[in-house]
């Protein structure tokens, strides 16, 4: 198995859990460096993400969320709160119409959920079942579990060895040499630290020009994200993006003005043209890729699909593609 990003970790975990012999090889020497995964928000938000995604993302995402909650104690299950300034009420109404799994709450209830936002927003949408993880903690948890389940994980290599029955390639954007239509979509985020504000759950601020999410990692750390730009440039965060992200956080709560900026980071999400993931079968090589904005959300479900395929053969899921014929199975 190649690649210890979130996709490869979940694949290895699922197969080791089912009692298969697993060897996961990661090319970087240091765990979780230089991956899209380390830069994720990592919201587990199947309902909110539906606003800009196909129905299948919600359908599989609900399953993914459930698997995370059952498996990983580090999941923070406090839901998502979506708010908008009064002048952007139309955006809030549109968001509500395009998504499920929420209820409209008034100012009093909003203040009970997030006291720091009390008085700032008269209403909001509350997605009570959604969750998030801190990506580094979640990946470290999976790595430990894989090893405890008897799986082998090595860093600093690029080959799974010739003796494997199957190679599951989860190498992210690197796999574009084999998967021609794979592309990269740049995402930038800012990590800030402040004790001035205490949010318990992911908050999304709707804005016609720049929607923002704020994910609380605990100990006063917050991730502000994220841009979605059609470029594979993984270079440093631009001044414009930093201004947009920080300005939106300031609009959510002026106390963010006093926060320390501890990280300005950019990564590239692997994506196919339809922004949906794919499981591509090529003889004894299986590519799992293109998780786009939903790698954390969907990786556990794709891992189950691949394990079911390896154990039972046939598959009817539309995410499977016959690599030789280049068509859905
Ligand atoms: C700013 C940002 C915010 C995001 N927010 C969210 C979010 O809130 N929720 C969510 O679900 N998703 C989110 N995502 C998307 C998510 O991060 C990606 O979908 C996911 O990380 C893709 O994971 P991956 O394992 O497929 O690829 P990667 O994370 O890129 O991992 C691939 C791994 O393969 C390794 N590799 C490459 N070639 C080889 C080789 N030959 N041999 C061995 N190893 C190899 C690489 O070193 C790397 O470690 C976000 C992404 C970004 C950039």
């Amino acid at each position: 198995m190649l690649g210890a990003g979130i996709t490869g970790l979940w694949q290895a975990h699922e197969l080791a859990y089912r009692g298969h012999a697993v060897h996961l090889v990661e090319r970087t020497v240091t765990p979780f460096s230089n991956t899209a995964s380390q830069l994720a928000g990592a919201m587990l938000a199947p309902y909110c993400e539906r606003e800009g995604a196909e129905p299948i993302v919600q359908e599989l995402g609900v399953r993914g969320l459930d698997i995370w909650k059952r498996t990983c104690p580090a999941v923070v299950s406090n839901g998502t709160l979506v708010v908008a300034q009064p002048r952007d009420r139309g955006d809030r109404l549109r968001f509500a119409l395009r998504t499920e799994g929420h209820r409209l709450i008034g100012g009093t209830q909003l203040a009970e959920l997030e006291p720091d936002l009390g008085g700032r927003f008269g209403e909001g949408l509350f997605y009570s079942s959604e969750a998030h993880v801190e990506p580094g903690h979640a990946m470290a948890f999976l790595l430990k579990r894989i090893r405890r389940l008897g799986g082998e994980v090595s860093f600093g290599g690029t080959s799974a060895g010739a003796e494997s029955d199957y190679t599951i390639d989860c190498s992210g954007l690197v796999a574009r040499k084999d998967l021609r239509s794979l592309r990269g979509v740049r995402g930038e985020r800012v990590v800030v630290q402040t004790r001035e504000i205490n949010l318990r759950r992911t908050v999304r601020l709707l804005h016609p020009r720049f929607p923002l999410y704020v994910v609380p990692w605990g100990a006063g750390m917050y991730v502000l994200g994220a841009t979605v730009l059609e470029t594979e440039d993984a270079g440093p965060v631009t001044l414009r993006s930093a201004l947009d992200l920080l300005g939106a956080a300031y609009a959510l709560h002026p106390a963010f003005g006093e926060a320390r900026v501890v990280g300005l980071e950019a990564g590239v999400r692997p994506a196919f043209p339809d922004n949906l993931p794919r499981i591509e079968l090529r003889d004894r090589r299986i590519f799992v890729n293109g998780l786009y904005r939903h790698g954390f959300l969907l990786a556990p479900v794709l891992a189950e699909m691949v394990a079911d395929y390896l154990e039972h053969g046939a598959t009817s899921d539309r995410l499977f593609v016959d690599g030789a014929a280049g068509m859905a199975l």
Side-chain angles (χ1 to χ4, degrees):
M1 198 169 301
L2 299 178
I6 196 64
T7 307
L9 286 165
W10 267 108
Q11 293 288 325
H13 180 272
E14 181 64 23
L15 289 169
Y17 182 74
R18 296 191 189 197
H20 298 283
V22 165
H23 184 191
L24 175 61
V25 180
E26 163 58 44
R27 72 174 174 164
T28 60
V29 176
T30 311
F32 322 136
S33 52
N34 199 22
T35 65
S37 301
Q38 117 221 46
L39 293 166
M43 297 174 295
L44 306 172
Y47 297 108
C48 284
E49 285 299 308
R50 171 71 181 96
E51 192 252 347
E54 299 273 323
I56 194 171
V57 171
Q58 176 179 313
E59 188 191 312
L60 300 180
V62 169
R63 268 169 67 190
L65 174 63
D66 182 50
I67 300 170
W68 272 106
K69 285 183 180 175
R70 278 191 275 119
T71 314
C72 180
V75 171
V76 180
S77 300
N78 292 340
T80 304
L81 189 57
V82 176
V83 293
Q85 302 288 1
R87 65 169 185 272
D88 301 325
R89 190 159 179 268
D91 292 295
R92 212 267 301 135
L93 290 171
R94 261 192 303 281
F95 199 92
L97 283 174
R98 284 188 194 157
T99 58
E100 299 169 11
H102 57 75
R103 62 174 199 274
L104 179 64
I105 57 170
T108 310
Q109 217 185 339
L110 195 149
E112 279 164 16
L113 288 173
E114 294 294 353
D116 283 342
L117 299 182
R120 297 194 56 74
F121 299 94
E123 58 183 24
L125 299 170
F126 184 41
Y127 298 75
S128 60
S129 65
E130 292 192 340
H132 69 266
V133 284
E134 197 278 290
H137 289 164
M139 290 197 286
F141 167 82
L142 287 171
L143 175 59
K144 204 165 157 188
R145 280 272 299 230
I146 294 162
R147 287 182 164 146
R148 202 175 283 164
L149 290 164
E152 194 183 335
V153 186
S154 349
F155 290 88
T158 52
S159 162
E163 71 281 3
S164 312
D165 293 334
Y166 285 91
T167 298
I168 304 177
D169 187 315
C170 308
S171 58
L173 207 55
V174 173
R176 62 181 313 180
K177 62 187 186 319
D178 298 295
L179 305 171
R180 287 294 167 83
S181 58
L182 196 67
R183 76 186 199 286
V185 179
R186 176 177 166 92
E188 296 152 299
R189 72 175 196 189
V190 183
V191 182
V192 299
Q193 186 169 31
T194 174
R195 295 283 181 187
E196 300 287 311
I197 182 164
N198 183 23
L199 300 178
R200 295 183 57 240
R201 55 189 47 78
T202 296
V203 177
R204 293 185 184 228
L205 175 67
L206 302 180
H207 187 279
R209 209 166 42 82
F210 197 85
L212 169 85
Y213 62 72
V214 178
V215 186
W217 278 356
M221 300 281 278
Y222 294 93
V223 177
L224 317 177
T227 56
V228 181
L229 303 168
E230 282 294 339
T231 167
E232 296 187 351
D233 175 5
V237 174
T238 62
L239 186 139
R240 179 199 301 270
S241 297
L243 283 175
D244 282 343
L245 289 163
L246 294 168
Y250 188 67
L252 180 69
H253 200 300
F256 276 115
E258 300 306 316
R260 288 163 193 269
V261 176
V262 294
L264 284 162
E265 295 152 325
V268 182
R269 311 167 178 96
F272 288 110
D274 59 3
N275 292 334
L276 292 177
R278 236 179 243 179
I279 300 168
E280 186 157 330
L281 309 176
R282 290 196 197 168
D283 195 21
R284 303 221 149 244
R285 200 172 179 98
I286 301 174
F287 292 88
V288 187
N289 216 314
L291 280 77
Y292 182 50
R293 284 174 53 133
H294 309 116
F296 275 76
L297 184 62
L298 300 182
V301 188
L302 296 180
E304 283 191 348
M305 288 177 178
V306 170
D308 287 346
Y309 167 75
L310 291 174
E311 289 177 352
H312 309 297
T315 172
S316 59
D317 198 286
R318 66 176 261 216
L319 298 185
F320 280 84
V321 170
D322 178 348
M327 53 204 276
L329 290 172

